[in-house]
Amino acid sequence: MLEDQASAYAEALFAVTRAEGDHERVEDELFRFARALEGSPELREGLGDPEIPTVKRQQIVEDLLGSSAASTTVGIVSLLVATDRMSDFSQIIDAFVNRVARHSGAKVANVRSAVELSADQRERLTAALEQQVGHKVALKVIVDPTVLGGVVTEIGDTVIDGSVRRRLNQLREVF
Amino acid sequence: MRIRNALVATALLVVTMFGFASPASASESIGSCIIEVADELHTQIAGGMSESEAYAQAEDAAEECIEAPNPVLPDPAELIWVTIAFLVLLGVGIKFAFPLITKAMQARSDRIREDLEAAERTRLDAEAAAADYRASLGDAEAESARIMDEARAAAEAYRSSQKAAADAEAADIRAKANADAESIKSQALSDLRADVVQLAVGAAEQVVQHNLDAAAQSELIENYINQVGSAN
């Protein structure tokens, strides 16, 4: 049921962004906002709190994204806040990202790194992953300090973990 | 029955003897003769005879009383009758009573012998019973001894089994206590090791975080890209 609703929202968002012609940017901004929302329970609860007037919550979205994000991105987030879909926000955005990647014939590769990857590193990692999985890859980078160092990539059910966190966990398991 | 017949025959013999006995001896006693002499004397005096003559005759008569029949030796006639009666009675006795008496005595003898034999048999039976009783008593004593031996053996076996069970239980308790102590020790060591590892890994994480500068992060990313690219 939740997947059906997320897919329906994803299709609608894909139609809107495709019509606007900037779905790649909007997709990237929504993806980043979804990850930021996962890392901030206070923000997620605040935007989904029905006790707070919708206008007030939309104003918070404007304050957070208005200056840097595309208007389409701000509008989509405001729409989801107004329809009380913040609890499903990550699922909707992930479905939307997958829908965009499917449109371009690619698979989404969620990459978590302690620091931001440079453009060159993104390109070379994309190429390496495409060579690894034998398929076109849409790279989605998430800056995650818990990784400590290195990179963790998830493509579907495949996980390629080269993080310092994994090595520390291995060290813990050895002892 | 035989005894009764013998008694009847004896009674008949006695009655017959008295029945054929002569009455003369009883009436011819000295006393009665003197009385008769006295009566005759009184009659003669009353009849007018002189007293001297009467007394003289009375003395003669009295002397004749003294010479009266001998009570020990019967009269010959009486003796003949008595002899005949005796012979008759003897014949009757030999003919009828003696066989009965002999038969009764034989029966009595037989009965006494049978009684003696029965008594002997009873005695033998009693002795046999006594022997059996003594034998059974001996058997009972042996059985009692056997039962006591079995009871002692059973008690010893029970005591041994109980002791073995108690020893086994004690061994189990000791083993369980040792296992529990070993488990607690292992758990404590495991917890201690986990705490030490946690501390060590936490310290290592802190060190890594402080030492992972931008160059190191970039190098890690480059290594990752190279590993992914070379894995195919």
Side-chain angles (χ1 to χ4, degrees), chain A residues 28-165:
Chain A
D28 185 65
E29 290 172 351
L30 289 174
F31 180 80
R32 289 174 180 274
F33 187 75
R35 301 289 84 81
L37 209 59
E38 288 177 352
S40 176
E42 296 83 1
L43 178 60
R44 187 170 62 249
E45 292 175 2
L47 293 179
D49 189 356
E51 298 295 329
I52 301 174
T54 304
V55 177
K56 181 67 174 176
R57 286 181 281 156
Q58 288 177 326
Q59 185 60 48
I60 295 173
V61 172
E62 287 284 345
D63 294 341
L64 288 173
L65 300 176
S67 60
S68 57
S71 58
T72 305
T73 301
V74 177
I76 289 172
V77 175
S78 296
L79 172 66
L80 294 175
V81 168
T83 54
D84 292 330
R85 292 295 175 187
M86 294 311 294
S87 59
D88 307 330
F89 189 84
S90 294
Q91 288 82 358
I92 292 172
I93 298 305
D94 288 343
F96 170 64
V97 171
N98 286 325
R99 178 66 185 88
V100 173
R102 191 166 66 248
H103 174 70
S104 61
K107 290 184 177 180
V108 176
N110 290 316
V111 175
R112 289 188 294 125
S113 172
V115 297
E116 187 63 78
L117 270 63
S118 66
D120 179 60
Q121 288 173 333
R122 285 171 178 257
E123 288 180 3
R124 286 190 287 115
L125 179 58
T126 301
L129 291 172
E130 288 177 347
Q131 188 178 2
Q132 175 81 8
V133 300
H135 202 278
K136 187 177 180 181
V137 169
L139 205 66
K140 299 299 177 188
V141 178
I142 307 166
V143 177
D144 184 1
T146 62
V147 174
L148 294 180
V151 178
V152 181
T153 302
E154 297 177 12
I155 304 175
D157 295 332
T158 302
V159 177
I160 305 171
D161 194 345
S163 65
V164 174
R165 169 65 60 193

Side-chain angles (χ1 to χ4, degrees), chain A residues 18-34:
Chain A
R18 188 179 182 186
E20 293 292 333
D22 57 351
H23 60 267
E24 290 183 358
R25 179 187 176 190
V26 172
E27 173 208 0
D28 185 65
E29 290 172 351
L30 289 174
F31 180 80
R32 289 174 180 274
F33 187 75

Side-chain angles (χ1 to χ4, degrees), chain B residues 62-105:
Chain B
E63 289 177 355
E64 288 179 358
C65 285
I66 292 172
E67 294 175 357
N70 192 339
V72 177
L73 296 175
D75 291 336
E78 188 179 358
L79 182 60
I80 292 170
W81 281 107
V82 169
T83 303
I84 293 170
F86 175 74
L87 293 175
V88 169
L89 289 175
L90 181 62
V92 170
I94 292 171
K95 178 65 175 180
F96 299 103
F98 185 72
L100 294 175
I101 292 172
T102 304
K103 189 176 180 181
M105 292 300 291

Side-chain angles (χ1 to χ4, degrees), chain A residues 113-117 121 124-125 128-129 131-132 148-153 160-162 164-165 167-168 171-172 175, chain B residues 193-194 197-198 200-202 204-205 208-209 212 214 217-222 224-232:
Chain A
S113 172
V115 297
E116 187 63 78
L117 270 63
Q121 288 173 333
R124 286 190 287 115
L125 179 58
L129 291 172
Q131 188 178 2
Q132 175 81 8
L148 294 180
V151 178
V152 181
T153 302
I160 305 171
D161 194 345
V164 174
R165 169 65 60 193
R167 294 178 183 177
L168 289 174
L171 182 63
R172 185 179 287 109
F175 288 103
Chain B
R193 182 182 294 111
V197 169
Q198 188 66 30
V201 173
E205 183 176 335
V208 167
Q209 279 183 323
L212 281 179
Q217 291 284 7
S218 179
E219 184 177 356
L220 288 171
I221 293 171
E222 291 296 333
Y224 180 80
I225 293 171
N226 293 334
Q227 287 176 0
V228 171
S230 62
N232 192 15

